[in-house]
Amino acid sequence: MDPAAGVIGLYRRHGLAWAADRGTAPGAEAAWLERFMALLRPGGTVLDIGCGSGAPIAATLVAAGFAVTGLDSSPPLLALARGRLPGASWIEGDMRRMALGARFDGLLAWDSFFHLGHDDQRAMFGRFAAHAAPGAALMFTSGPAHGVAIGRYGGEALFHASLDAAEYRALLSTAGFAVLDHKAEDPAAGGHTVWLARHR
């Protein structure tokens, strides 16, 4: 079975419970999100890939004056996002087939990109580049090392995968991104492994 398809199904079945557990207040992502926003032009456009319910990340971006487009594969989560932030744009879709015909000043995939298998992750860097305006910021979370990890949510298996840091750096460079910062298992971000890059 396609591991990402299993993740999509899980978030369609359990999305509302996940959103309640996630809450709406910025948490582990807050400091990194501030750094991401500092790289954007005032009022710039942001593509939130795997946006979920729109809170807290998209809500923080909108409150800061950015124009947000959110992409997610879970209709229940998108319904929440539309209700919370009706002025933003919300698109139902699979990030692996993302082809929006637009370029953005910022792209982020916080706790979403790492649900893809290894080959699907490799293929995403071309999609990131195709949606990045000159100088665009890119931020995503990964695992700390190459491998697969299976978590649990709603009594079901939840797939995660990661490449190693050297491969991520190479993929970013090939796609035209320069790494600005990378922290593995950042204790200030709840143990998240975070990448921040900029399109050349």
Side-chain angles (χ1 to χ4, degrees):
M1 178 181 173
D2 170 12
V7 173
I8 289 170
L10 186 150
Y11 280 107
R12 286 176 173 171
R13 290 186 294 275
H14 302 292
L16 296 181
W18 177 86
D21 288 342
R22 177 76 162 94
T24 58
E29 71 285 338
W32 282 96
L33 191 55
E34 287 293 331
R35 294 184 63 188
F36 173 82
M37 291 190 294
L39 297 171
L40 307 178
R41 64 178 177 85
T45 57
V46 179
L47 177 60
D48 187 356
I49 304 164
C51 61
S53 67
I57 289 178
T60 301
L61 291 163
V62 169
F66 298 105
V68 173
T69 297
L71 176 76
D72 203 274
S73 58
S74 171
L77 288 173
L78 286 170
L80 276 179
R82 290 186 181 104
R84 288 169 168 166
L85 300 164
S89 298
W90 305 105
I91 300 169
E92 182 181 346
D94 185 328
M95 69 175 76
R96 297 173 295 175
R97 291 183 282 279
M98 185 172 73
L100 304 182
R103 294 181 180 269
F104 298 84
D105 299 307
L107 303 94
L108 66 101
W110 188 276
D111 285 359
S112 57
F113 169 79
F114 63 12
H115 287 309
L116 302 182
H118 294 131
D119 285 342
D120 284 335
Q121 289 193 26
R122 294 179 180 109
M124 279 299 300
F125 288 87
R127 295 195 182 274
F128 290 150
H131 292 82
L138 168 66
M139 184 167 71
F140 64 93
T141 51
S142 71
H146 188 279
V148 169
I150 306 298
R152 303 288 297 178
Y153 192 81
E156 299 183 41
L158 182 57
F159 179 88
H160 307 76
S162 183
L163 307 174
D164 65 30
E167 185 168 8
Y168 282 128
R169 287 183 181 277
L171 287 163
L172 284 162
S173 179
T174 298
F177 291 92
V179 175
L180 302 180
D181 201 1
H182 162 240
K183 283 192 170 57
E185 299 180 321
D186 182 5
H192 284 77
T193 295
V194 188
W195 293 85
L196 183 62
R198 191 160 210 170
H199 200 248
R200 301 186 189 97

